[in-house]
Amino acid sequence: MNIEFIEALAQIEKEKGISKDILLDALEASLISAYKKNYGSSQNVSVSIDRDTGEVKVFSKKVVTDEVKDTLLEIDINEAYTFNPTAKIGDVISIEVTPKKFGRIAAQTAKQVVMQRIREAERDLIFEEYSGRETDIVTGIVQRFDKKNVIIDLGKTEAILPTGEQISSEEYVQGNRIKVYILEVKKTTKGPQITVSRSHPGLVKRLFELEVPEIYEGIVEIKGIAREAGSRTKIAVYSKNENIDPVGACVGPKGSRVQSIVDELNGEKIDIIKWDKDVAEFISNALSPAKVLNVVIEENTKTARVTVSESQLSLAIGKEGQNARLAARLTGWKIDIKSEDGNFNASDDLRGDESET
């Protein structure tokens, strides 16, 4: 190695942000292993790389003694004087033992160490970039399939879309661009492991933040989301500004904003609900598109008894109870629905603990 090598390390430090001294320290440690592998593993050696010239020297470290039992680790006091006139029993002296052909080994080792450190540094940078983005949304390309998992190309790295975070009705086609929600970022020996989701309610929340400027700016607030991925989502929105219609802002001109989100979710239905501090009013809104006649609140059981007309009963309950179930999750209340004839229909006793806010 030579001064050009030192200059190359300085350039790597500048471009990659990896300290030249850290690289040299790592290289010295690796060269010790390389020396022992090629020239004898029993010796106690050290390696020194000149920080200015790049010159590599190997030193054998021996303990000064008056009775040598192991010539690889010990040196007689009289012989030690030739290297250090002030040597004493028990001292450790360094004797240069650099092999003539060690430069070739050093060059090969240097390449391996530097490349490994660059890869590690790049992995660390990617981890730092994504570790702060959990609950964020990113766009990627469907790259390949690993068993039932989908591998998403995010550009600098890959993400895993596990089976449990996929939407059963969606088809993931290689090369297609999709938006995914970052669930978790873990640091592993092979680099950052990023787990993403298409089914999490947070994906819908982030999509609305992207499409609706009023939400991004904080004018309109998302109060809750209840989702059955691939089928239907209910989202409750609110605005402190009385001049802003939160539902209208989310729907957009001619429905353009919500339609963009529906398209991204491959046709998933989205009910945009106006949140209200009055629980009865909020529950009534949550059962949209059904029209509610009356809501009676039972605080002690956190149950809402809802009355609708006979013609609205099936709409309020929804197919297989979905509308009532999502409304219950969104509001956090058990909802029992009855028609005007007085017959109750329970909403599966589901509450709002699954709502995403």
Side-chain angles (χ1 to χ4, degrees), residues 153-164:
D153 180 9
L154 300 181
K156 294 180 181 178
T157 188
E158 295 177 344
I160 301 171
L161 178 61
T163 307

Side-chain angles (χ1 to χ4, degrees), residues 8 47 52 64 93 96 140 155 201 251 265 274 287 298 300 315 339:
V47 172
D52 296 319
V64 178
I93 64 171
E96 186 180 353
V251 172
L265 298 176
K274 185 177 181 180
L287 286 167
E298 296 180 0
N300 58 332
L315 188 61
S339 63

Side-chain angles (χ1 to χ4, degrees), residues 21-151:
D21 288 332
I22 289 176
L23 285 172
L24 288 170
D25 289 344
L27 181 52
E28 286 173 343
S30 295
L31 287 175
I32 291 172
S33 299
Y35 177 86
K36 288 184 176 183
K37 181 180 178 181
N38 288 274
Y39 299 98
S41 59
S42 299
Q43 299 181 66
N44 184 14
V45 298
S46 65
V47 172
S48 173
I49 301 174
D50 190 290
R51 266 49 178 170
D52 296 319
T53 66
E55 184 181 7
V56 179
K57 291 184 179 180
V58 183
F59 296 92
S60 175
K61 305 179 83 169
K62 296 186 178 184
V63 178
V64 178
T65 181
D66 56 1
E67 186 180 351
V68 176
K69 294 179 180 178
D70 187 340
T71 56
L72 291 175
L73 301 175
E74 298 171 331
I75 185 171
D76 182 77
I77 182 67
N78 294 318
E79 186 181 354
Y81 288 147
T82 62
F83 298 100
N84 184 358
T86 62
K88 303 188 298 294
I89 299 295
D91 284 354
V92 177
I93 64 171
S94 296
I95 304 168
E96 186 180 353
V97 292
T98 309
K100 291 182 179 179
K101 296 182 180 180
F102 194 62
R104 178 179 56 82
I105 295 173
Q108 291 174 342
T109 305
K111 182 179 179 180
Q112 293 171 355
V113 168
V114 171
M115 292 304 294
Q116 180 182 355
R117 288 295 170 136
I118 288 174
R119 283 194 297 270
E120 289 173 357
E122 288 175 342
R123 288 170 181 170
D124 288 342
L125 288 172
I126 292 170
F127 175 77
E128 288 173 12
E129 178 183 348
Y130 283 95
S131 62
R133 297 184 65 185
E134 288 175 331
T135 75
D136 202 355
I137 189 172
V138 289
T139 301
I141 298 173
V142 177
Q143 187 178 59
R144 65 181 191 280
F145 303 92
D146 181 9
K147 297 179 181 178
K148 292 185 178 181
N149 297 330
V150 182
I151 307 303

